[in-house]
């Protein structure tokens, strides 16, 4: 008969397995599309006929294009090759309406060469806003001298109420993709995510889908936005193109839908931008590896504080043990280490705060104060990791750690490094992710240098021998 504790552990393991299997199945369903197996009800790619295409990009202040009036041609790529990657920067004229806190849209047409887009019945097009509304970022200044990078603070020229109002910002990048796979779809099981980007035509007895044009909105980052003011007459726009596979296209569609859903739930564009950074700034294969690592990271069980959990039905009971003589000695060395380290870290934290005040620009005193406190938290987090190394040095031994627990410790130590490379974060926080790496490497050296003492209680609250098998080293 299993105990309540074993049943609970089995339940956790079961839920974890179901989660991993479900994640793998969902990812497989996103990137894999079943092709058409027969001739009936198949939808053929129009690109397989090798049409001569042209790419045209227009700008206008209207979100719906009814005619060819009041539009500006900003990019025209004749003899457009779906397989050829390119990137071009053009200057876009900013209309007066846009300069007065208005909007501007880009119309991207993929059509037959030599034919105007609105005269081509086989053209495909998409619309993308080139502007977005955000509250301007406050300019950073030196809090002691009041100097800024530009030596002129525009905020002083504006009323206080205008500082909190959203203004129009320019998106300087337009990333385009065309699905280049000559994939034959099954008309009876079209993927819903791709279907909304498809345009069908009938050629004889066969149904074809026109080239699937896609705009990568994830590449538009908040850090690249430019404020549009009334004196702005031209702004640069970098138009990039690259082909995309069907699997990657479907994955990108799902990611963009997820970011859009976050914004619908009330997330600001800046908050959604943090999520964008995970997908845009990270290799897709490395990102997939991180997802699986994160799944295994959910499975963590620790023993600490000499605490034992007993289950009486659905109610847990906690029992705390007492400390032995060796444990009291360890606690004494731990306290001694904390005292010595505090002599070093207190001046470093204060000195770092003063240095940043003198040499680094901040938005306000509150910003400087929060930054100083955060750096202090990182420093003391590192301090709390070091006493164990000092205890090992004083006792000239290390506690016994089974290989399974040692493997878990190594995996848990370096897992944060993976996330440090894919998540947008301040430099100080990224460096803090490597604190336990340094401590673990020193611990490995101590494990090689000192003998293993099975009497010592390790960090998991376990001791493997009640009696000493050898005399302890003297300091």
């Amino acid at each position: 008969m299993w105990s309540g504790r074993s049943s609970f552990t089995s339940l956790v393991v079961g839920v974890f397995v179901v989660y991993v299997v479900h994640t793998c199945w969902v990812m497989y369903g996103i990137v894999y599309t079943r092709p058409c197996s027969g001739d009936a009800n198949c939808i053929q790619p129009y690109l397989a006929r090798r049409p001569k295409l042209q790419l045209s990009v227009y700008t206008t202040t209207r979100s719906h294009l009814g005619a060819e009036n009041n539009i500006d041609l900003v990019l025209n790529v004749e003899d457009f090759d779906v397989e050829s990657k390119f990137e071009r920067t053009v200057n876009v004229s900013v209309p007066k309406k846009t300069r007065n806190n208005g909007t501007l849209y880009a119309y991207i047409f993929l059509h037959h060469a030599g034919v105007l887009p609105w005269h081509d019945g086989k053209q495909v097009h998409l619309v993308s806003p080139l502007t977005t509304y955000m509250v301007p970022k406050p300019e950073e200044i030196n809090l002691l001298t009041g100097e800024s990078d530009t030596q002129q603070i525009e905020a002083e020229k504006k009323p206080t109420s205008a500082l909190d109002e959203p203004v129009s910002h320019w998106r300087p990048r337009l990333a385009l993709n065309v699905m280049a796979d000559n994939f034959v779809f099954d008309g009876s099981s079209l993927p819903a995510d791709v279907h909304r980007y498809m345009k069908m035509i009938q050629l004889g007895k066969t149904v074809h889908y026109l080239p699937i044009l896609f705009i990568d909105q994830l590449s538009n980052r908040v850090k690249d936005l430019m404020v549009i003011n009334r004196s702005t007459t031209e702004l640069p726009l970098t138009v990039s193109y690259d082909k995309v596979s069907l699997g990657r296209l479907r994955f990108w569609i799902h990611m963009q839908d997820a970011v859009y859903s976050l914004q619908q739930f009330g997330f600001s564009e800046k908050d959604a931008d943090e999520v964008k950074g995970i997908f845009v700034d990270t290799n897709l294969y490395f990102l997939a590896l991180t997802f699986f690592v994160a799944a295994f990271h959910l499975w963590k069980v620790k023993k600490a504080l000499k605490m034992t959990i007993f289950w009486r039905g659905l109610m847990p009971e906690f029992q705390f043990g007492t400390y032995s003589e060796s444990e009291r000695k360890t606690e004494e060395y731990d306290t001694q280490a904390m005292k010595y380290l505090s002599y070093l870290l207190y001046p470093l934290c204060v000195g770092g705060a003063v240095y940043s005040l003198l040499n680094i620009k901040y938005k306000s005193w509150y910003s400087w104060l929060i930054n100083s406190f955060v750096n202090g938290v990182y420093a003391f987090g590192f301090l709390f990791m070091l006493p164990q190394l000092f205890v090992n040095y004083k006792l000239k031994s290390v506690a016994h750690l089974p290989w399974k627990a040692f493997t878990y410790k190594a995996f848990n130590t370096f897992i944060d490094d993976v996330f440090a490379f894919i998540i947008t974060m301040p430099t100080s926080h990224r460096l803090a992710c490597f604190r336990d790496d340094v401590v673990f490497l020193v611990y490995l050296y101590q494990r090689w240098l000192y003998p293993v003492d099975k009497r010592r209680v390790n960090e998991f609250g376990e001791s493997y021998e009640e009696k000493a098998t050898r005399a302890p080293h003297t300091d």
Side-chain angles (χ1 to χ4, degrees), residues 290-304:
T290 306
F291 282 155
F292 284 103
V293 169
F296 284 103
H297 191 48
L298 295 176
W299 196 7
K300 296 172 62 177
V301 180
K302 277 192 173 183
K303 296 178 182 178

Side-chain angles (χ1 to χ4, degrees), residues 128-340:
S128 177
L130 296 178
T131 57
T132 186
Y133 288 96
M134 285 188 61
V135 176
K137 180 181 178 181
E139 189 170 5
E140 295 179 347
I141 62 173
N142 187 297
L143 298 176
L144 298 179
T145 64
E147 295 180 354
S148 65
D149 293 333
T150 60
Q151 301 297 324
Q152 292 180 350
I153 304 176
E154 295 294 333
E156 295 179 354
K157 302 177 183 180
K158 300 179 181 180
T160 305
S161 59
L163 297 177
D164 298 329
E165 295 179 359
V167 299
S168 187
H169 285 65
W170 178 255
R171 290 175 170 173
R173 292 193 60 85
L174 182 62
L176 308 176
N177 301 110
V178 171
M179 201 277 287
D181 297 347
N182 289 328
F183 189 85
V184 180
F185 286 95
D186 187 345
S188 61
S189 58
L190 280 175
D193 45 21
V194 181
H195 190 194
R196 67 177 186 263
Y197 288 92
M198 297 176 67
K199 181 178 179 181
M200 315 291 185
I201 59 171
Q202 184 83 31
L203 297 177
K205 296 182 179 180
T206 308
V207 178
H208 289 72
Y209 65 92
L210 295 174
I212 299 178
L213 183 62
F214 178 73
I215 301 176
D216 181 11
Q217 300 289 3
L218 295 180
S219 61
N220 291 319
R221 304 297 306 279
V222 169
K223 62 183 180 181
D224 299 327
L225 296 178
M226 304 166 61
V227 178
I228 301 176
N229 51 52
R230 295 184 179 181
S231 62
T232 304
T233 57
E234 282 190 347
L235 286 170
L237 177 65
T238 300
V239 182
S240 61
Y241 167 78
D242 196 6
K243 66 179 181 179
V244 65
S245 64
L246 177 59
R248 190 183 185 93
L249 173 65
R250 296 190 62 191
F251 180 79
W252 259 189
I253 292 174
H254 280 272
M255 294 306 103
Q256 287 194 171
D257 289 347
V259 173
Y260 178 76
S261 298
L262 291 178
Q263 293 176 319
Q264 296 302 306
F265 279 115
F267 281 67
S268 66
E269 183 159 356
K270 184 177 180 181
D271 296 330
D273 184 73
E274 300 294 335
V275 181
K276 287 183 182 181
I278 297 177
F279 303 102
V280 176
D281 300 336
T282 309
N283 181 275
L284 189 60
Y285 298 104
F286 184 69
L287 184 62
L289 173 64
T290 306
F291 282 155
F292 284 103
V293 169
F296 284 103
H297 191 48
L298 295 176
W299 196 7
K300 296 172 62 177
V301 180
K302 277 192 173 183
K303 296 178 182 178
L305 301 177
K306 300 282 291 181
M307 182 178 66
T308 306
I309 303 177
F310 297 97
W311 290 88
R312 296 186 182 277
L314 297 177
M315 297 296 295
E317 291 187 1
F318 302 92
Q319 178 180 344
F320 295 87
T322 58
Y323 289 100
S324 63
E325 182 64 28
S326 62
E327 291 172 331
R328 279 193 289 269
K329 192 174 183 180
T330 300
E331 185 68 21
E332 178 184 345
Y333 289 142
D334 189 283
T335 304
Q336 186 179 358
M338 290 291 293
K339 181 179 70 172
Y340 292 152

Side-chain angles (χ1 to χ4, degrees), residues 112-126:
H112 285 90
V115 182
L116 290 175
W118 33 87
H119 297 161
D120 186 5
K122 297 183 179 65
Q123 57 85 14
V124 292
H125 72 276
L126 290 175

